[in-house]
Amino acid sequence: AQGKVNWQSRLNKAAHHTSDYSSTEVILRRGQPFNISLNLKTTVQSWDNFTFIASTGNLPMAVISYPGYSSSKILVPYRSTWPILETLSFVLPADAVIGRYKLQLQVLAGNKVSSKVLGHFVLLFNPWCPDDDVYMADEEERQEYVLNDSGIIFQGVEKDIEEEAWNYGQFEEDILEISLAILDRSLSHREDPAVDVSKRSSPVYVSRVISAMVNSNDEKGVVEGKWSGKFRSGTNPLRWSGSVTILRKWYRARYRPVRYGQCWVFAGVTCTVLRCLGIPTRVITNFNSAHDKNLNLSIDKYIDISGNNLHLSEDSVWNFHVWNESWFIRRDLGSFYDGWQVLDATPQEKSKGIYQCGPASTKAIKEGDVNLDYDSPFVFAAVNADCVTWIRYSKKRKERVYSDTRKIGKFISTKAVGSNSRVDVTANYKYPEGSLKERQVYRKALKLLGVRIPGKRSKIPRPRRRFSRAQPAQTPSISGKLLLDASPVIGQDILLTLTLRNLISDFKDIKVKLKASAILYTRKPKAEILQLHRSIKLGSEEVKEISFKISYSQYKNSLMDDRKILVTAVCQIKRGTSLLVEKDIVLQDPFLTLKVLGPAVVHKPVNVEVTFTNPLADEVTDCVLRAEGSGLLKEQLRIQYVNTSGCVEKMAPMETSTVEFEIIPYRSGTRQLQVDLVCTHFSDIKGFVMLHVAPAQ
């Protein structure tokens, strides 16, 4: 048999929602018919002599004989009549393996079999197909969680939430190719390719493999994490604006891990790869996120009498932590646990011997079912652990300080469907804090983890696990609050007030030790900025204020790229429980203003204006602008910065400058353009603008 094949690529792509991929390949979704036209010259008359075979990996995954409609689980013809030119309709089942396929036609003439390759195609998960495990019923949600190639990742601290734009770019050139390569580089694929490929029908399996492969810890995955020291041998994690540059860098360097990432980078890249493969995915930020090493649901923090952190526990609480949720059903757990599943590619703890985390059902987390796959205890602790602070006077003497124990897992956030606003999803993870149901779930989780509850006799002694939830500190006779006088901006002094209130009628002598430190977002102190000691006398129910200032000259050389300062006040009372008051401060970066100078139309150049003011009394140097945006710029654009006086890469104190550059959009619809300015003094000043690009006229 000889002939030509028309894959009807444009029509199939439109029907399968794959038109946006910048690829010449035929890209299809499972569980949905596709058509090909066959122009065949053959002497064979009978349908029985034709067999269509689709194969992926090195496995023939499908065989079909005509007119045998049910002769194969994988490839089924829909309708067929036949002279020489014929349009055939096939469908691959909704539980077919995803990946790259080859379609062959075998013809039996007499006792001679001839074979012809009709072409290749890529098969993806199908959230539009009700029989697919990743089926999502709402079209607006599918547009957001599968087809939106840009988004917002929330960062900062719980009382000052910041939005950072991220370019997912799942349809950009090479990204599909790279996403499939990530699956082929995994440990499980290298150990047994046939078994690995056969499991790629399951979103549970595929998403877990991706959570392992996005970090570089075990199998030369995509991103190498780094949370301390300088980033000279790579890129500062704060400087990434999207996944496309990172994924291409990994692929072009023959799978050498890209340096460096922190949690939002791992989550951004994971979101790109999973959306690219067709699994609905979103990015989640958990504020005050616990990392509970020993899984006793208690985060123990030790300080000395001056408020200095003593590193006596491996537990920690991060200002925020970013992970992913993907949408699919859980055949392995039962339908109650269907829906959003947590995945975390940040390498924190090993699971089954390698750094991977999830999928953990959000329903299992909410109900305290920490015995269910995968890694639900780790996620449960991240949003539910109690925080306990101790003052350590000596090896033998420590005192539990009164502080907010219920501060973990606040304002769990994601980007809204169809807009950039923040949606709070905390209620998907836990019952209202302090409610009876929340306490019942907490105790259930403790029991399942085999953690002994104080005052209860455990039938199963587990010596390695400490008691959970130490007996609460006695309520102190004073209350305290640290307040900012104004939103702090980098380059300006920070004005604070500590307010102390005597809650009883007795006279109180209080020693206050105030401390300010530059910290990372993991709340790890990096440099001390200020220490103050004060003694205060409080009369019956009296309120007193201590005002103090952290000047720019004090913090400018200590501030880390995270721009975060932790202020603590340890208040010791003669004959009474000590009180700890804390305040996390994020200094605002100066703003970049972006303006698109004219209508944006596909294939038509349009200029963008960027305006920036240096708020410092210092000159800033080495200024470079970078711009990126899917559908707007094919590669990241670097723009040399020239100020108003013609000085290259320099800005005078308090100077305002404007720079223009050109973009040529290549995809219509709502697009996100990101610009960031990198220079000395500022690691990343970011701005973004949403623009509507009209189709080519």
Side-chain angles (χ1 to χ4, degrees):
Q2 289 182 320
K4 288 182 180 160
V5 184
N6 177 355
W7 276 85
Q8 301 193 12
S9 187
R10 206 167 56 81
L11 291 169
N12 282 327
K13 276 186 168 180
H16 287 247
H17 309 278
T18 59
S19 304
D20 283 342
Y21 287 88
S22 304
S23 170
T24 51
E25 291 190 273
V26 178
I27 302 163
L28 306 168
R29 295 188 190 274
R30 60 190 196 173
Q32 188 173 332
F34 65 93
N35 298 326
I36 63 170
S37 299
L38 207 51
N39 187 348
L40 201 66
K41 289 176 184 161
T42 177
T43 54
V44 176
Q45 298 300 309
S46 164
W47 271 117
D48 295 338
N49 297 2
F50 292 95
T51 309
F52 290 88
I53 299 174
S55 54
T56 182
N58 293 319
L59 314 169
M61 298 295 287
V63 180
I64 270 207
S65 316
Y66 277 90
Y69 280 65
S70 59
S71 61
S72 164
K73 172 169 166 288
I74 299 286
L75 203 59
V76 183
Y78 251 39
R79 57 181 180 275
S80 45
T81 56
W82 183 273
I84 291 172
L85 178 64
E86 180 60 44
T87 296
L88 300 170
S89 186
F90 298 104
V91 63
L92 278 86
D95 62 352
V97 162
I98 60 128
R100 191 170 268 110
Y101 278 78
K102 176 166 72 178
L103 184 63
Q104 283 172 289
L105 170 62
Q106 278 187 3
V107 181
L108 178 64
N111 46 13
K112 190 178 159 209
V113 177
S114 62
S115 181
K116 175 180 172 59
V117 175
L118 299 179
H120 297 82
F121 62 92
V122 175
L123 190 70
L124 303 176
F125 290 102
N126 192 352
W128 284 264
C129 171
D131 296 329
D132 197 309
D133 285 2
V134 303
Y135 174 62
M136 191 169 235
D138 186 291
E139 176 59 22
E140 284 183 2
E141 290 188 356
R142 292 190 295 243
Q143 290 291 329
E144 180 67 54
Y145 300 132
V146 185
L147 299 182
N148 195 352
D149 57 9
S150 68
I152 298 292
I153 299 178
F154 295 98
Q155 297 181 24
V157 294
E158 61 163 309
K159 298 224 167 91
D160 187 3
I161 295 174
E162 301 174 329
E163 52 176 43
E164 295 285 351
W166 193 265
N167 176 23
Y168 296 120
Q170 67 267 35
F171 304 120
E172 295 305 292
E173 211 171 316
D174 299 332
I175 299 301
L176 177 58
E177 173 82 29
I178 296 166
S179 299
L180 295 170
I182 288 173
L183 290 174
D184 289 344
R185 300 291 303 165
S186 72
L187 279 181
S188 32
H189 187 77
R190 283 188 275 176
E191 280 164 13
D192 194 331
V195 170
D196 170 67
V197 167
S198 69
K199 288 181 177 175
R200 289 184 189 175
S201 56
S202 160
V204 175
Y205 180 78
V206 169
S207 63
R208 187 158 169 81
V209 167
I210 297 301
S211 88
M213 275 302 297
V214 166
N215 69 68
S216 70
N217 287 45
D218 304 288
E219 54 250 287
K220 282 182 98 177
V222 181
V223 180
E224 188 178 320
K226 190 170 174 16
W227 281 267
S228 58
K230 298 271 187 260
F231 302 104
R232 288 196 188 97
S233 53
T235 300
N236 181 329
L238 289 161
R239 291 187 180 175
W240 300 115
S241 305
S243 312
V244 178
T245 312
I246 295 170
L247 287 163
R248 284 179 181 159
K249 203 174 163 106
W250 175 75
Y251 189 63
R252 289 169 185 173
R254 300 186 65 82
Y255 316 114
R256 195 167 65 242
V258 176
R259 295 172 167 176
Y260 291 104
Q262 289 173 4
C263 66
W264 64 92
V265 181
F266 293 108
V269 172
T270 301
C271 187
T272 297
V273 174
L274 292 174
R275 283 186 186 179
C276 185
L277 297 175
I279 300 178
T281 302
R282 61 189 187 182
V283 173
I284 300 285
T285 305
N286 178 36
F287 289 93
N288 297 342
S289 192
H291 182 176
D292 184 13
K293 283 288 273 193
N294 58 359
L295 289 180
N296 69 339
L297 301 189
S298 176
I299 301 294
D300 294 299
K301 178 181 163 184
Y302 294 88
I303 56 175
D304 65 15
I305 49 172
S306 301
N308 295 309
N309 221 353
L310 302 172
H311 302 288
L312 300 175
S313 162
E314 288 187 292
D315 293 348
S316 59
V317 178
W318 294 12
N319 283 140
F320 66 89
H321 180 45
V322 185
W323 60 64
N324 300 91
E325 284 177 0
S326 287
W327 178 272
F328 45 82
I329 68 171
R330 292 302 295 265
R331 293 178 186 277
D332 55 332
L333 303 181
S335 59
F336 178 78
Y337 301 101
D338 293 352
W340 289 115
Q341 314 290 327
V342 174
L343 296 151
D344 190 351
T346 300
Q348 295 183 91
E349 294 295 324
K350 285 188 173 182
S351 168
K352 305 260 194 317
I354 62 173
Y355 284 96
Q356 58 189 349
C357 181
S361 162
T362 53
K363 299 242 182 79
I365 305 306
K366 185 166 182 172
E367 299 301 331
D369 296 328
V370 292
N371 52 327
L372 298 181
D373 285 340
Y374 291 89
D375 310 306
S376 46
F378 184 79
V379 183
F380 184 88
V383 299
N384 281 302
D386 276 359
C387 201
V388 179
T389 308
W390 305 85
I391 293 183
R392 192 168 181 262
Y393 297 101
S394 67
K395 276 188 178 171
K396 289 183 178 169
R397 186 176 161 236
K398 65 179 183 179
E399 175 201 351
R400 181 160 173 187
V401 185
Y402 187 83
S403 63
D404 181 6
T405 60
R406 306 274 177 86
K407 66 181 185 185
I408 304 295
K410 296 279 182 161
F411 300 103
I412 305 174
S413 304
T414 193
K415 174 194 171 301
V417 170
S419 84
N420 284 340
S421 53
R422 186 183 75 85
V423 172
D424 194 296
V425 294
T426 311
N428 292 0
Y429 283 83
K430 52 188 183 179
Y431 289 97
E433 203 74 67
S435 67
L436 178 65
K437 186 73 179 161
E438 184 253 350
R439 292 293 93 192
Q440 286 169 345
V441 165
Y442 189 93
R443 288 183 102 79
K444 173 185 177 182
L446 285 175
K447 203 172 165 188
L448 285 168
L449 290 169
V451 181
R452 293 170 64 201
I453 300 164
K456 290 226 174 185
R457 293 184 67 176
S458 172
K459 288 176 188 165
I460 322 161
R462 298 215 179 171
R464 269 187 34 250
R465 293 254 163 103
R466 298 196 308 277
F467 279 113
S468 155
R469 187 168 282 175
Q471 297 297 353
Q474 292 189 333
T475 309
S477 50
I478 60 164
S479 69
K481 231 178 191 174
L482 273 164
L483 295 170
L484 280 166
D485 292 12
S487 265
V489 177
I490 207 155
Q492 294 174 6
D493 296 346
I494 304 164
L495 305 171
L496 286 133
T497 304
L498 172 67
T499 306
L500 293 175
R501 179 187 297 270
N502 189 353
L503 301 173
I504 58 172
S505 53
D506 292 3
F507 185 81
K508 289 286 166 203
D509 267 335
I510 303 157
K511 276 187 182 162
V512 179
K513 287 171 180 170
L514 275 159
K515 185 175 185 318
S517 308
I519 57 165
L520 301 172
Y521 84 99
T522 57
R523 280 187 126 218
K524 208 173 183 180
K526 296 310 282 182
E528 191 176 291
I529 294 170
L530 173 83
Q531 269 212 1
L532 292 173
H533 293 197
R534 295 274 190 278
S535 289
I536 284 190
K537 293 185 189 307
L538 278 181
S540 167
E541 295 179 5
E542 188 184 1
V543 177
K544 273 192 181 167
E545 292 184 345
I546 304 173
S547 293
F548 59 102
K549 178 173 83 171
I550 307 170
S551 67
Y552 173 58
S553 60
Q554 279 173 305
Y555 73 74
K556 76 171 184 179
N557 296 324
S558 307
L559 204 61
M560 306 304 292
D561 294 331
D562 294 48
R563 315 184 311 285
K564 290 184 171 67
I565 292 173
L566 175 63
V567 181
T568 58
V570 178
C571 308
Q572 285 178 291
I573 308 160
K574 266 190 186 170
R575 296 179 304 281
T577 306
S578 298
L579 172 74
L580 173 69
V581 188
E582 293 184 308
K583 178 86 178 164
D584 285 284
I585 299 170
V586 184
L587 286 149
Q588 275 181 12
D589 256 341
F591 293 108
L592 276 185
T593 324
L594 300 183
K595 204 168 165 191
V596 183
L597 307 174
V601 181
V602 169
H603 304 319
K604 286 259 181 82
V606 63
N607 278 16
V608 179
E609 182 184 84
V610 184
T611 306
F612 170 70
T613 302
N614 172 15
L616 304 182
D618 304 323
E619 179 182 68
V620 295
T621 56
D622 305 326
C623 303
V624 176
L625 278 169
R626 288 185 314 217
E628 70 176 88
S630 289
L632 301 171
L633 289 161
K634 299 234 172 181
E635 296 271 350
Q636 194 181 61
L637 187 66
R638 284 175 71 87
I639 307 140
Q640 196 180 44
Y641 190 87
V642 182
N643 74 0
T644 41
S645 350
C647 292
V648 176
E649 298 184 356
K650 280 186 186 174
M651 279 191 84
M654 312 313 242
E655 181 186 1
T656 298
S657 273
T658 300
V659 174
E660 267 187 42
F661 63 92
E662 182 185 88
I663 57 170
I664 304 172
Y666 52 94
R667 226 180 273 138
S668 61
T670 303
R671 301 271 142 225
Q672 186 187 71
L673 176 68
Q674 294 158 258
V675 176
D676 63 329
L677 174 68
V678 176
C679 52
T680 53
H681 298 76
F682 302 113
S683 60
D684 66 318
I685 298 162
K686 291 184 172 162
F688 71 94
V689 65
M690 304 304 292
L691 56 155
H692 186 75
V693 179
Q697 290 153 354

